[in-house]
Amino acid sequence: IEGLGITTIESFFRDALVQSPADIFRLTIDDLLVRERWAEVSARNLIAAIDAKRAPPLDRFLFALGIRHVGEVTARDLARRWSDWAALVAMIDRAIAARDAMQRAIGEPDDKLLARTAKELAAIVDTKQVGPEVALALVDFFAEPHNRVAVDDLLGQVTPAPVVHVVRASPVTGKTLVFTGSLETLSRDEAKAQAESLGAHVSGSVSAKTDLVVAGP
């Protein structure tokens, strides 16, 4: 959000103006005008910048929740597979119910049970890019009541936009690309999005599976 840097957030939090992510979207011009160094123009600009972020793409919203193991690429994969928030949460609720049922049936979980549970949860998540570790992290996050309350509160203020992923065949379809260095004509995220729209898989690091490395100057 333009104009809402770390210093401003810390100031708002210290003064109890913002205590949760949803509180950012509850800010009003009057809240800002009573504070030092805030004039009407700067207050209106910040509120307008906040309002402009009330419909974030599903992948950016999911990434921003700070779920363990769910980085930008994983969030994008999940958003493309499940397309909208309602479908994603319905899948996660099925995974939570499956985990709870397995734990009730077997009792105290051990390492083997956790491994089997994680594998089954990964099948429920149903995307090749998401493994058992990520599946468990999703379930753990959304099964925590405090997290669920915070997310539901935030959803009262913002509406994640569905992600529509269109792929066309190209010479890089099916290949694994890695971008490194500062690119000259577009950002790293833009480059990743273009490559993925051409059917490529973009990885964050070079491995034996890498087909192409695109390096800045």
Side-chain angles (χ1 to χ4, degrees):
I1 299 173
E2 187 175 349
L4 194 63
I6 184 64
T7 301
T8 302
I9 283 288
E10 287 177 344
S11 171
F12 288 175
F13 184 81
R14 183 176 60 248
D15 297 339
L17 190 60
V18 168
Q19 296 291 292
S20 72
D23 287 341
I24 293 172
F25 296 91
R26 296 189 184 102
L27 289 171
T28 67
I29 292 176
D30 290 340
D31 290 331
L32 302 178
L33 289 179
V34 297
R35 300 177 64 80
E36 290 184 14
R37 301 175 183 174
W38 283 89
E40 185 162 346
V41 172
S42 56
R44 288 189 181 281
N45 286 343
L46 179 57
I47 296 303
I50 290 171
D51 285 340
K53 300 296 184 181
R54 289 185 181 273
L58 177 58
D59 57 334
R60 290 187 62 81
F61 180 81
L62 186 60
F63 170 62
L65 294 179
I67 302 170
R68 187 167 51 99
H69 303 311
V70 180
E72 288 183 89
V73 174
T74 299
R76 192 177 303 134
D77 290 336
L78 285 166
R80 287 173 179 171
R81 168 63 185 86
W82 294 99
S83 75
D84 63 48
W85 179 256
L88 178 67
V89 171
M91 175 275 294
I92 292 171
D93 284 341
R94 288 197 300 274
I96 292 173
R99 183 201 64 176
D100 292 347
M102 283 185 280
Q103 289 182 349
R104 285 194 301 271
I106 300 176
E108 190 68 26
D110 56 20
D111 289 342
K112 288 184 178 179
L113 171 62
L114 287 173
R116 197 184 85 193
T117 302
K119 188 174 180 180
E120 293 192 22
L121 294 181
I124 294 173
V125 174
D126 190 27
T127 174
K128 294 178 182 178
Q129 285 74 33
V130 174
E133 194 173 45
V134 173
L136 268 181
L138 281 169
V139 166
D140 287 344
F141 180 89
F142 283 96
E144 171 57 49
H146 170 78
N147 291 340
R148 208 61 181 255
V149 168
V151 171
D152 287 345
D153 190 25
L154 184 55
L155 289 169
Q157 302 296 323
V158 304
T159 303
V163 171
V164 178
H165 182 45
V166 178
V167 177
R168 63 182 185 275
S170 77
V172 295
T173 296
K175 295 186 181 297
T176 298
L177 276 62
V178 174
F179 291 96
T180 183
S182 298
L183 305 179
E184 293 182 324
T185 60
L186 69 173
S187 70
R188 192 86 61 86
D189 281 344
E190 290 170 329
K192 288 180 180 179
Q194 287 191 20
E196 289 171 345
S197 71
L198 295 170
H201 172 67
V202 179
S203 176
S205 58
V206 176
S207 70
K209 297 179 179 179
T210 302
D211 295 297
L212 297 168
V213 176
V214 180

